[in-house]
Amino acid sequence: MTRIIGIVSGKGGVGKTTVVSNLGACLAQDGYNVAVIDGNLTGANLGLHFGLISYPISIHDVMKKNASLIDATYKHPSGVDIIPASLSFEDVLDTAPVNISQHIYDSLGDKDFVLVDAATGLDRETLNAIDMCDELILVTHPELPTISDALRTKSIIKKYEKKILGVILNRVSGRDKLKKDYIASFFELPILGVIPEDPQVRRSIELKNPLVLENPKHKISREIKKIAHRVTGKEVKTESFWDRIRSFFGL
Ligand SMILES: Nc1ncnc2c1ncn2[C@@H]1O[C@H](COP(=O)(O)OP(=O)(O)O)[C@@H](O)[C@H]1O
Ligand SMILES: [Mg+2]
């Protein structure tokens, strides 16, 4: 059974696309059949995280009924199937968001996971992305204004009667005062992972390769792996001695 999981937030720039590319690649490495869809119709950039720069057919064409989902699918060497959104200004202007969940079940029914990278804010493209998904993950910074926006998104998701798997705290630095348990109590949701602020994330985006593929041993890659295990429900493996040493020194 294909699980369509949307990655949403309140504010932009919190790391939704970074989470989709890395979680998608990590799930594929774990042997799952994975597709990622750029649901950010007016701010496409998921393809770029995978080095997919030029593509003739996109999710916009699918929504305009000019192409099938299969036509808009591009295979990444990691095994992840990417369905990018168009970078063209014209496509952005003349495409209305359409719920393509039935197309996903029909054409991508062999996938274990389809991750949808949502737009920011609560306008139609975000609501459409939420509506397309069965389950959602919220991404936020651990700061009050961003959390407040994410809580508003949570309320909307509840109205759509969708399941929320939990919250990912991203770009967390030592200076952040709000603690994980406190934030979990705000959301009344489990914290799926805590991803630190680290320049390697930007570097991997520049290299057009998700960090979990670029550097699987990096502390963020290991955290993404834990998130993947929480999503799949697979038992989290006990950390090795060297993993614990690395965590201790924040490596
Ligand atoms: N953990 C992190 N550490 C450092 N930079 C990050 C981290 N996560 C994301 N970023 C940076 O933040 C920016 C926004 O990330 P992105 O995934 O595009 O957010 P969103 O999709 O929510 O708008 C990107 O330039 C990315 O390099
Ligand atoms: Mg994004």
Side-chain angles (χ1 to χ4, degrees):
M1 176 70 189
T2 306
R3 288 174 68 185
I4 309 178
I5 304 179
I7 313 299
V8 290
S9 69
K11 278 203 193 323
V14 295
K16 292 181 295 297
T17 308
T18 306
V19 166
V20 169
S21 57
N22 280 281
L23 186 58
C26 188
L27 288 166
Q29 277 188 324
D30 277 354
Y32 293 98
N33 199 350
V34 181
V36 294
I37 296 183
D38 198 343
N40 194 346
L41 303 177
T42 56
N45 56 22
L46 179 61
L48 303 180
H49 283 238
F50 285 96
L52 184 64
I53 290 159
S54 149
Y55 38 89
I57 300 172
S58 72
I59 192 83
H60 286 76
D61 298 301
V62 178
M63 291 188 175
K64 286 191 283 189
K65 297 195 168 67
N66 291 337
S68 73
L69 209 44
I70 298 296
D71 294 337
T73 301
Y74 302 83
K75 179 71 81 188
H76 185 260
S78 62
V80 175
D81 276 333
I82 306 163
I83 295 123
S86 173
L87 300 167
S88 136
F89 183 57
E90 286 80 19
D91 281 333
V92 168
L93 286 181
D94 73 2
T95 310
V98 174
N99 185 334
I100 54 157
S101 57
Q102 198 52 54
H103 291 297
I104 297 176
Y105 292 123
D106 292 345
S107 307
L108 303 175
D110 59 331
K111 300 287 165 227
D112 299 303
F113 293 97
V114 174
L115 305 183
V116 179
D117 185 18
T120 298
L122 287 174
D123 55 16
R124 277 180 65 205
E125 60 178 320
T126 307
L127 299 182
N128 183 60
I130 291 172
D131 200 23
M132 267 165 43
C133 299
D134 310 310
E135 304 165 83
L136 283 307
I137 293 174
L138 281 161
V139 182
T140 183
H141 290 167
E143 60 174 17
L144 275 175
T146 319
I147 289 171
S148 152
D149 283 355
L151 283 168
R152 206 170 306 125
T153 306
K154 180 194 162 190
S155 309
I156 302 277
I157 297 169
K158 287 278 168 203
K159 281 211 185 315
Y160 279 81
E161 297 181 353
K162 306 282 178 169
K163 180 178 179 186
I164 308 177
L165 295 176
V167 180
I168 295 175
L169 303 181
N170 186 31
R171 308 196 70 163
V172 179
S173 78
R175 293 187 301 276
D176 288 315
K177 298 275 183 294
L178 294 180
K179 293 292 167 243
K180 182 179 149 184
D181 293 345
Y182 186 53
I183 297 171
S185 70
F186 267 130
F187 282 100
E188 296 175 314
L189 288 168
I191 302 294
L192 297 174
V194 178
I195 304 175
E197 171 81 27
D198 193 290
Q200 284 303 314
V201 172
R202 182 169 293 180
R203 169 122 183 87
S204 74
I205 294 170
E206 281 163 10
L207 292 170
K208 303 180 189 68
N209 200 24
L211 185 56
V212 293
L213 302 175
E214 195 60 34
N215 185 352
K217 295 237 178 290
H218 192 277
K219 61 185 171 185
I220 290 182
S221 304
R222 286 183 280 123
E223 187 65 14
I224 298 277
K225 207 165 192 50
K226 285 187 202 160
I227 295 169
H229 287 158
R230 285 183 189 120
V231 170
T232 59
K234 233 168 68 174
E235 199 59 36
V236 177
K237 269 197 313 192
T238 317
E239 281 188 313
S240 73
F241 172 73
W242 288 112
D243 283 343
R244 274 182 282 142
I245 294 283
R246 278 197 211 96
S247 296
F248 181 78
F249 288 106
L251 299 172

